[in-house]
mmCIF file of all heavy atoms in Angstrom:
data_model
loop_
_atom_site.group_PDB
_atom_site.id
_atom_site.type_symbol
_atom_site.label_atom_id
_atom_site.label_comp_id
_atom_site.label_asym_id
_atom_site.label_seq_id
_atom_site.Cartn_x
_atom_site.Cartn_y
_atom_site.Cartn_z
ATOM 1 N N LEU A 1 77.831 109.271 80.886
ATOM 2 C CA LEU A 1 77.368 107.909 80.629
ATOM 3 C C LEU A 1 75.979 107.905 80.013
ATOM 4 O O LEU A 1 75.709 107.167 79.056
ATOM 5 C CB LEU A 1 77.369 107.111 81.930
ATOM 6 C CG LEU A 1 78.750 106.831 82.544
ATOM 7 C CD1 LEU A 1 78.590 106.256 83.948
ATOM 8 C CD2 LEU A 1 79.563 105.891 81.675
ATOM 9 N N LYS A 2 75.090 108.716 80.544
ATOM 10 C CA LYS A 2 73.709 108.720 80.041
ATOM 11 C C LYS A 2 73.634 109.291 78.637
ATOM 12 O O LYS A 2 72.871 108.798 77.804
ATOM 13 C CB LYS A 2 72.803 109.445 81.032
ATOM 14 C CG LYS A 2 72.626 108.621 82.308
ATOM 15 C CD LYS A 2 71.606 109.169 83.274
ATOM 16 C CE LYS A 2 71.391 108.157 84.418
ATOM 17 N NZ LYS A 2 70.509 108.685 85.482
ATOM 18 N N THR A 3 74.436 110.296 78.352
ATOM 19 C CA THR A 3 74.471 110.847 76.996
ATOM 20 C C THR A 3 74.971 109.812 75.994
ATOM 21 O O THR A 3 74.500 109.755 74.848
ATOM 22 C CB THR A 3 75.374 112.097 76.956
ATOM 23 O OG1 THR A 3 74.864 113.073 77.855
ATOM 24 C CG2 THR A 3 75.435 112.698 75.568
ATOM 25 N N ARG A 4 75.888 108.976 76.442
ATOM 26 C CA ARG A 4 76.431 107.918 75.585
ATOM 27 C C ARG A 4 75.515 106.690 75.510
ATOM 28 O O ARG A 4 75.807 105.748 74.778
ATOM 29 C CB ARG A 4 77.799 107.466 76.112
ATOM 30 C CG ARG A 4 78.905 108.521 76.064
ATOM 31 C CD ARG A 4 79.566 108.635 74.697
ATOM 32 N NE ARG A 4 80.025 107.346 74.201
ATOM 33 C CZ ARG A 4 81.226 106.826 74.424
ATOM 34 N NH1 ARG A 4 82.116 107.493 75.158
ATOM 35 N NH2 ARG A 4 81.564 105.662 73.925
ATOM 36 N N GLY A 5 74.443 106.660 76.301
ATOM 37 C CA GLY A 5 73.541 105.515 76.285
ATOM 38 C C GLY A 5 74.078 104.304 77.031
ATOM 39 O O GLY A 5 73.639 103.173 76.802
ATOM 40 N N ILE A 6 75.023 104.529 77.946
ATOM 41 C CA ILE A 6 75.629 103.431 78.697
ATOM 42 C C ILE A 6 74.788 103.124 79.923
ATOM 43 O O ILE A 6 74.447 104.021 80.696
ATOM 44 C CB ILE A 6 77.076 103.793 79.102
ATOM 45 C CG1 ILE A 6 77.940 103.918 77.835
ATOM 46 C CG2 ILE A 6 77.661 102.775 80.068
ATOM 47 C CD1 ILE A 6 79.268 104.589 78.042
ATOM 48 N N THR A 7 74.436 101.859 80.099
ATOM 49 C CA THR A 7 73.560 101.456 81.208
ATOM 50 C C THR A 7 74.196 100.437 82.142
ATOM 51 O O THR A 7 73.737 100.264 83.270
ATOM 52 C CB THR A 7 72.254 100.844 80.658
ATOM 53 O OG1 THR A 7 72.578 99.732 79.799
ATOM 54 C CG2 THR A 7 71.460 101.873 79.863
ATOM 55 N N GLN A 8 75.237 99.744 81.677
ATOM 56 C CA GLN A 8 75.875 98.683 82.468
ATOM 57 C C GLN A 8 77.316 99.064 82.776
ATOM 58 O O GLN A 8 78.079 99.397 81.862
ATOM 59 C CB GLN A 8 75.847 97.359 81.703
ATOM 60 C CG GLN A 8 74.445 96.879 81.356
ATOM 61 C CD GLN A 8 74.476 95.680 80.437
ATOM 62 O OE1 GLN A 8 75.478 94.981 80.341
ATOM 63 N NE2 GLN A 8 73.383 95.446 79.735
ATOM 64 N N LEU A 9 77.672 98.995 84.056
ATOM 65 C CA LEU A 9 79.007 99.383 84.494
ATOM 66 C C LEU A 9 79.669 98.234 85.235
ATOM 67 O O LEU A 9 79.039 97.573 86.062
ATOM 68 C CB LEU A 9 78.943 100.584 85.442
ATOM 69 C CG LEU A 9 78.169 101.817 84.970
ATOM 70 C CD1 LEU A 9 78.171 102.877 86.059
ATOM 71 C CD2 LEU A 9 78.756 102.362 83.670
ATOM 72 N N THR A 10 80.937 98.006 84.945
ATOM 73 C CA THR A 10 81.767 97.107 85.745
ATOM 74 C C THR A 10 82.878 97.949 86.350
ATOM 75 O O THR A 10 83.522 98.729 85.641
ATOM 76 C CB THR A 10 82.357 95.978 84.889
ATOM 77 O OG1 THR A 10 81.279 95.180 84.374
ATOM 78 C CG2 THR A 10 83.284 95.087 85.708
ATOM 79 N N MET A 11 83.078 97.784 87.653
ATOM 80 C CA MET A 11 84.073 98.591 88.354
ATOM 81 C C MET A 11 85.194 97.728 88.904
ATOM 82 O O MET A 11 84.955 96.639 89.425
ATOM 83 C CB MET A 11 83.417 99.377 89.490
ATOM 84 C CG MET A 11 82.410 100.390 89.000
ATOM 85 S SD MET A 11 81.838 101.476 90.308
ATOM 86 C CE MET A 11 80.692 102.490 89.373
ATOM 87 N N VAL A 12 86.409 98.274 88.801
ATOM 88 C CA VAL A 12 87.613 97.638 89.335
ATOM 89 C C VAL A 12 88.479 98.754 89.908
ATOM 90 O O VAL A 12 88.260 99.938 89.632
ATOM 91 C CB VAL A 12 88.389 96.886 88.237
ATOM 92 C CG1 VAL A 12 87.585 95.719 87.685
ATOM 93 C CG2 VAL A 12 88.789 97.831 87.091
ATOM 94 N N GLY A 13 89.483 98.393 90.727
ATOM 95 C CA GLY A 13 90.442 99.403 91.153
ATOM 96 C C GLY A 13 90.644 99.476 92.652
ATOM 97 O O GLY A 13 90.473 98.490 93.374
ATOM 98 N N LEU A 14 90.990 100.693 93.110
ATOM 99 C CA LEU A 14 91.446 100.918 94.472
ATOM 100 C C LEU A 14 90.683 102.098 95.101
ATOM 101 O O LEU A 14 90.416 103.072 94.423
ATOM 102 C CB LEU A 14 92.941 101.234 94.478
ATOM 103 C CG LEU A 14 93.834 100.221 93.741
ATOM 104 C CD1 LEU A 14 95.260 100.748 93.632
ATOM 105 C CD2 LEU A 14 93.808 98.872 94.418
ATOM 106 N N ALA A 15 90.374 102.012 96.330
ATOM 107 C CA ALA A 15 90.358 100.803 97.145
ATOM 108 C C ALA A 15 88.923 100.290 97.204
ATOM 109 O O ALA A 15 87.972 101.070 97.200
ATOM 110 C CB ALA A 15 90.869 101.101 98.558
ATOM 111 N N LEU A 16 88.782 98.980 97.251
ATOM 112 C CA LEU A 16 87.465 98.358 97.187
ATOM 113 C C LEU A 16 86.517 98.900 98.246
ATOM 114 O O LEU A 16 85.325 99.106 97.987
ATOM 115 C CB LEU A 16 87.605 96.834 97.340
ATOM 116 C CG LEU A 16 86.323 96.010 97.382
ATOM 117 C CD1 LEU A 16 85.460 96.244 96.154
ATOM 118 C CD2 LEU A 16 86.662 94.525 97.523
ATOM 119 N N ASP A 17 87.020 99.149 99.467
ATOM 120 C CA ASP A 17 86.137 99.535 100.570
ATOM 121 C C ASP A 17 85.922 101.039 100.680
ATOM 122 O O ASP A 17 85.158 101.494 101.532
ATOM 123 C CB ASP A 17 86.654 98.982 101.900
ATOM 124 C CG ASP A 17 88.155 99.131 102.083
ATOM 125 O OD1 ASP A 17 88.869 99.378 101.102
ATOM 126 O OD2 ASP A 17 88.626 98.980 103.225
ATOM 127 N N PHE A 18 86.544 101.828 99.803
ATOM 128 C CA PHE A 18 86.306 103.270 99.817
ATOM 129 C C PHE A 18 85.857 103.764 98.443
ATOM 130 O O PHE A 18 84.669 103.834 98.173
ATOM 131 C CB PHE A 18 87.540 104.025 100.356
ATOM 132 C CG PHE A 18 87.650 103.924 101.853
ATOM 133 C CD1 PHE A 18 88.393 102.917 102.441
ATOM 134 C CD2 PHE A 18 86.959 104.811 102.677
ATOM 135 C CE1 PHE A 18 88.471 102.799 103.826
ATOM 136 C CE2 PHE A 18 87.023 104.704 104.066
ATOM 137 C CZ PHE A 18 87.783 103.694 104.643
ATOM 138 N N CYS A 19 86.774 104.082 97.557
ATOM 139 C CA CYS A 19 86.372 104.718 96.307
ATOM 140 C C CYS A 19 85.568 103.801 95.386
ATOM 141 O O CYS A 19 84.619 104.247 94.744
ATOM 142 C CB CYS A 19 87.588 105.297 95.608
ATOM 143 S SG CYS A 19 88.333 106.654 96.567
ATOM 144 N N VAL A 20 85.921 102.514 95.321
ATOM 145 C CA VAL A 20 85.120 101.590 94.506
ATOM 146 C C VAL A 20 83.730 101.438 95.123
ATOM 147 O O VAL A 20 82.709 101.521 94.420
ATOM 148 C CB VAL A 20 85.826 100.224 94.365
ATOM 149 C CG1 VAL A 20 84.929 99.238 93.612
ATOM 150 C CG2 VAL A 20 87.166 100.376 93.649
ATOM 151 N N HIS A 21 83.671 101.232 96.419
ATOM 152 C CA HIS A 21 82.406 101.071 97.144
ATOM 153 C C HIS A 21 81.481 102.268 96.912
ATOM 154 O O HIS A 21 80.313 102.113 96.503
ATOM 155 C CB HIS A 21 82.726 100.886 98.640
ATOM 156 C CG HIS A 21 81.651 101.253 99.595
ATOM 157 N ND1 HIS A 21 81.915 101.817 100.815
ATOM 158 C CD2 HIS A 21 80.308 101.149 99.533
ATOM 159 C CE1 HIS A 21 80.790 102.039 101.468
ATOM 160 N NE2 HIS A 21 79.798 101.650 100.705
ATOM 161 N N PHE A 22 81.960 103.486 97.163
ATOM 162 C CA PHE A 22 81.105 104.670 97.032
ATOM 163 C C PHE A 22 80.693 104.888 95.584
ATOM 164 O O PHE A 22 79.554 105.293 95.306
ATOM 165 C CB PHE A 22 81.820 105.905 97.597
ATOM 166 C CG PHE A 22 81.768 105.988 99.104
ATOM 167 C CD1 PHE A 22 82.691 105.310 99.887
ATOM 168 C CD2 PHE A 22 80.786 106.725 99.741
ATOM 169 C CE1 PHE A 22 82.643 105.375 101.272
ATOM 170 C CE2 PHE A 22 80.727 106.799 101.133
ATOM 171 C CZ PHE A 22 81.655 106.123 101.898
ATOM 172 N N SER A 23 81.588 104.619 94.646
ATOM 173 C CA SER A 23 81.245 104.753 93.227
ATOM 174 C C SER A 23 80.158 103.770 92.831
ATOM 175 O O SER A 23 79.208 104.125 92.113
ATOM 176 C CB SER A 23 82.493 104.521 92.362
ATOM 177 O OG SER A 23 83.495 105.471 92.634
ATOM 178 N N ALA A 24 80.278 102.530 93.293
ATOM 179 C CA ALA A 24 79.307 101.494 92.930
ATOM 180 C C ALA A 24 77.929 101.794 93.510
ATOM 181 O O ALA A 24 76.900 101.662 92.817
ATOM 182 C CB ALA A 24 79.795 100.133 93.406
ATOM 183 N N VAL A 25 77.880 102.209 94.770
ATOM 184 C CA VAL A 25 76.595 102.525 95.410
ATOM 185 C C VAL A 25 75.929 103.713 94.720
ATOM 186 O O VAL A 25 74.727 103.698 94.440
ATOM 187 C CB VAL A 25 76.789 102.767 96.916
ATOM 188 C CG1 VAL A 25 75.540 103.361 97.551
ATOM 189 C CG2 VAL A 25 77.168 101.462 97.623
ATOM 190 N N ASP A 26 76.701 104.749 94.423
ATOM 191 C CA ASP A 26 76.131 105.902 93.728
ATOM 192 C C ASP A 26 75.628 105.520 92.346
ATOM 193 O O ASP A 26 74.547 105.947 91.925
ATOM 194 C CB ASP A 26 77.168 107.023 93.606
ATOM 195 C CG ASP A 26 77.314 107.836 94.887
ATOM 196 O OD1 ASP A 26 76.478 107.696 95.794
ATOM 197 O OD2 ASP A 26 78.285 108.623 94.970
ATOM 198 N N ALA A 27 76.393 104.715 91.626
ATOM 199 C CA ALA A 27 75.970 104.306 90.285
ATOM 200 C C ALA A 27 74.659 103.528 90.330
ATOM 201 O O ALA A 27 73.759 103.757 89.514
ATOM 202 C CB ALA A 27 77.059 103.471 89.624
ATOM 203 N N ALA A 28 74.537 102.607 91.289
ATOM 204 C CA ALA A 28 73.295 101.840 91.427
ATOM 205 C C ALA A 28 72.129 102.761 91.763
ATOM 206 O O ALA A 28 71.017 102.615 91.223
ATOM 207 C CB ALA A 28 73.466 100.760 92.488
ATOM 208 N N ARG A 29 72.375 103.710 92.652
ATOM 209 C CA ARG A 29 71.320 104.665 93.051
ATOM 210 C C ARG A 29 70.867 105.508 91.863
ATOM 211 O O ARG A 29 69.702 105.903 91.771
ATOM 212 C CB ARG A 29 71.868 105.553 94.175
ATOM 213 C CG ARG A 29 70.898 106.566 94.724
ATOM 214 C CD ARG A 29 71.421 107.208 96.011
ATOM 215 N NE ARG A 29 72.742 107.808 95.867
ATOM 216 C CZ ARG A 29 72.972 109.025 95.374
ATOM 217 N NH1 ARG A 29 71.958 109.768 94.953
ATOM 218 N NH2 ARG A 29 74.207 109.502 95.302
ATOM 219 N N LEU A 30 71.780 105.759 90.923
ATOM 220 C CA LEU A 30 71.456 106.549 89.732
ATOM 221 C C LEU A 30 70.802 105.718 88.633
ATOM 222 O O LEU A 30 70.467 106.247 87.577
ATOM 223 C CB LEU A 30 72.727 107.205 89.196
ATOM 224 C CG LEU A 30 73.343 108.282 90.106
ATOM 225 C CD1 LEU A 30 74.734 108.661 89.614
ATOM 226 C CD2 LEU A 30 72.444 109.507 90.185
ATOM 227 N N GLY A 31 70.640 104.412 88.860
ATOM 228 C CA GLY A 31 69.911 103.577 87.923
ATOM 229 C C GLY A 31 70.754 102.723 86.990
ATOM 230 O O GLY A 31 70.207 102.051 86.104
ATOM 231 N N PHE A 32 72.066 102.716 87.176
ATOM 232 C CA PHE A 32 72.917 101.861 86.352
ATOM 233 C C PHE A 32 72.914 100.435 86.902
ATOM 234 O O PHE A 32 72.726 100.217 88.098
ATOM 235 C CB PHE A 32 74.354 102.397 86.345
ATOM 236 C CG PHE A 32 74.494 103.746 85.689
ATOM 237 C CD1 PHE A 32 74.516 104.909 86.456
ATOM 238 C CD2 PHE A 32 74.600 103.859 84.317
ATOM 239 C CE1 PHE A 32 74.643 106.159 85.867
ATOM 240 C CE2 PHE A 32 74.724 105.104 83.710
ATOM 241 C CZ PHE A 32 74.741 106.259 84.497
ATOM 242 N N GLN A 33 73.141 99.465 86.012
ATOM 243 C CA GLN A 33 73.387 98.080 86.434
ATOM 244 C C GLN A 33 74.876 97.959 86.725
ATOM 245 O O GLN A 33 75.690 98.184 85.828
ATOM 246 C CB GLN A 33 72.983 97.097 85.330
ATOM 247 C CG GLN A 33 71.505 97.095 85.005
ATOM 248 C CD GLN A 33 71.191 96.160 83.850
ATOM 249 O OE1 GLN A 33 71.961 95.259 83.529
ATOM 250 N NE2 GLN A 33 70.051 96.371 83.208
ATOM 251 N N VAL A 34 75.213 97.621 87.971
ATOM 252 C CA VAL A 34 76.602 97.723 88.411
ATOM 253 C C VAL A 34 77.131 96.374 88.878
ATOM 254 O O VAL A 34 76.504 95.686 89.683
ATOM 255 C CB VAL A 34 76.743 98.738 89.569
ATOM 256 C CG1 VAL A 34 78.220 98.943 89.912
ATOM 257 C CG2 VAL A 34 76.088 100.064 89.214
ATOM 258 N N THR A 35 78.309 96.026 88.376
ATOM 259 C CA THR A 35 79.047 94.851 88.825
ATOM 260 C C THR A 35 80.410 95.313 89.327
ATOM 261 O O THR A 35 81.058 96.144 88.680
ATOM 262 C CB THR A 35 79.242 93.853 87.670
ATOM 263 O OG1 THR A 35 77.960 93.425 87.196
ATOM 264 C CG2 THR A 35 80.041 92.630 88.121
ATOM 265 N N VAL A 36 80.832 94.793 90.468
ATOM 266 C CA VAL A 36 82.188 95.036 90.964
ATOM 267 C C VAL A 36 82.942 93.713 90.888
ATOM 268 O O VAL A 36 82.515 92.712 91.471
ATOM 269 C CB VAL A 36 82.179 95.576 92.407
ATOM 270 C CG1 VAL A 36 83.589 95.603 92.983
ATOM 271 C CG2 VAL A 36 81.567 96.976 92.440
ATOM 272 N N ASP A 37 84.044 93.722 90.139
ATOM 273 C CA ASP A 37 84.884 92.532 90.006
ATOM 274 C C ASP A 37 85.970 92.594 91.085
ATOM 275 O O ASP A 37 86.984 93.278 90.934
ATOM 276 C CB ASP A 37 85.504 92.480 88.613
ATOM 277 C CG ASP A 37 86.286 91.194 88.374
ATOM 278 O OD1 ASP A 37 86.654 90.519 89.359
ATOM 279 O OD2 ASP A 37 86.546 90.862 87.205
ATOM 280 N N ARG A 38 85.723 91.879 92.176
ATOM 281 C CA ARG A 38 86.629 91.965 93.325
ATOM 282 C C ARG A 38 88.002 91.350 93.042
ATOM 283 O O ARG A 38 88.959 91.659 93.749
ATOM 284 C CB ARG A 38 85.987 91.290 94.542
ATOM 285 C CG ARG A 38 84.794 92.071 95.087
ATOM 286 C CD ARG A 38 84.121 91.349 96.222
ATOM 287 N NE ARG A 38 83.468 90.137 95.736
ATOM 288 C CZ ARG A 38 82.816 89.273 96.517
ATOM 289 N NH1 ARG A 38 82.749 89.479 97.820
ATOM 290 N NH2 ARG A 38 82.239 88.209 96.000
ATOM 291 N N THR A 39 88.109 90.518 91.998
ATOM 292 C CA THR A 39 89.429 89.953 91.692
ATOM 293 C C THR A 39 90.387 91.031 91.192
ATOM 294 O O THR A 39 91.599 90.863 91.270
ATOM 295 C CB THR A 39 89.346 88.830 90.636
ATOM 296 O OG1 THR A 39 88.963 89.392 89.363
ATOM 297 C CG2 THR A 39 88.350 87.756 91.043
ATOM 298 N N GLN A 40 89.835 92.128 90.690
ATOM 299 C CA GLN A 40 90.655 93.230 90.170
ATOM 300 C C GLN A 40 90.509 94.476 91.042
ATOM 301 O O GLN A 40 90.555 95.612 90.552
ATOM 302 C CB GLN A 40 90.284 93.521 88.716
ATOM 303 C CG GLN A 40 90.421 92.336 87.790
ATOM 304 C CD GLN A 40 91.800 91.683 87.840
ATOM 305 O OE1 GLN A 40 92.818 92.355 87.961
ATOM 306 N NE2 GLN A 40 91.847 90.362 87.758
ATOM 307 N N CYS A 41 90.318 94.254 92.331
ATOM 308 C CA CYS A 41 90.283 95.315 93.334
ATOM 309 C C CYS A 41 91.163 94.895 94.504
ATOM 310 O O CYS A 41 91.426 93.708 94.704
ATOM 311 C CB CYS A 41 88.867 95.533 93.880
ATOM 312 S SG CYS A 41 87.625 96.090 92.692
ATOM 313 N N ARG A 42 91.587 95.849 95.297
ATOM 314 C CA ARG A 42 92.235 95.595 96.576
ATOM 315 C C ARG A 42 91.644 96.570 97.580
ATOM 316 O O ARG A 42 91.190 97.658 97.211
ATOM 317 C CB ARG A 42 93.756 95.759 96.496
ATOM 318 C CG ARG A 42 94.456 94.761 95.578
ATOM 319 C CD ARG A 42 94.362 93.323 96.084
ATOM 320 N NE ARG A 42 95.092 92.389 95.222
ATOM 321 C CZ ARG A 42 94.567 91.741 94.187
ATOM 322 N NH1 ARG A 42 93.289 91.953 93.846
ATOM 323 N NH2 ARG A 42 95.297 90.902 93.466
ATOM 324 N N ALA A 43 91.668 96.194 98.874
ATOM 325 C CA ALA A 43 91.008 96.986 99.916
ATOM 326 C C ALA A 43 91.993 97.452 100.976
ATOM 327 O O ALA A 43 93.024 96.827 101.212
ATOM 328 C CB ALA A 43 89.907 96.152 100.576
ATOM 329 N N ILE A 44 91.648 98.542 101.639
ATOM 330 C CA ILE A 44 92.399 99.009 102.804
ATOM 331 C C ILE A 44 92.016 98.164 104.017
ATOM 332 O O ILE A 44 92.853 97.763 104.808
ATOM 333 C CB ILE A 44 92.114 100.503 103.070
ATOM 334 C CG1 ILE A 44 92.616 101.355 101.895
ATOM 335 C CG2 ILE A 44 92.757 100.953 104.382
ATOM 336 C CD1 ILE A 44 92.223 102.816 101.979
ATOM 337 N N ASP A 45 90.716 97.872 104.153
ATOM 338 C CA ASP A 45 90.137 97.081 105.257
ATOM 339 C C ASP A 45 90.540 97.646 106.617
ATOM 340 O O ASP A 45 91.178 96.992 107.429
ATOM 341 C CB ASP A 45 90.496 95.603 105.145
ATOM 342 C CG ASP A 45 89.507 94.730 105.943
ATOM 343 O OD1 ASP A 45 88.437 95.247 106.324
ATOM 344 O OD2 ASP A 45 89.808 93.550 106.170
ATOM 345 N N MET A 46 90.101 98.869 106.857
ATOM 346 C CA MET A 46 90.378 99.590 108.091
ATOM 347 C C MET A 46 89.225 99.363 109.065
ATOM 348 O O MET A 46 88.093 99.768 108.795
ATOM 349 C CB MET A 46 90.507 101.082 107.755
ATOM 350 C CG MET A 46 90.885 101.972 108.887
ATOM 351 S SD MET A 46 91.062 103.681 108.302
ATOM 352 C CE MET A 46 89.354 104.172 108.149
#
């Protein structure tokens, strides 16, 4: 992403409370602007 000059990320997919969640938090920690579109996610909710 950084080599490509990409700074803004939108995330969708499965599962919102595990893989989407950890991906989004890591991306924010790495300095990306991150949006999660919950309408295009589903959760396990364990």
Side-chain angles (χ1 to χ4, degrees):
L1 293 170
K2 290 188 173 174
T3 300
R4 295 278 308 270
I6 294 166
T7 57
Q8 300 172 20
L9 308 178
T10 297
M11 296 189 180
V12 295
L14 307 171
L16 176 56
D17 43 344
F18 283 92
C19 295
V20 175
H21 156 215
F22 281 84
S23 299
V25 169
D26 280 348
R29 181 169 55 83
L30 293 169
F32 295 97
Q33 296 177 20
V34 186
T35 299
V36 171
D37 185 341
R38 290 176 292 178
T39 68
Q40 303 306 322
C41 297
R42 296 294 183 269
I44 296 172
D45 201 14
M46 184 178 77

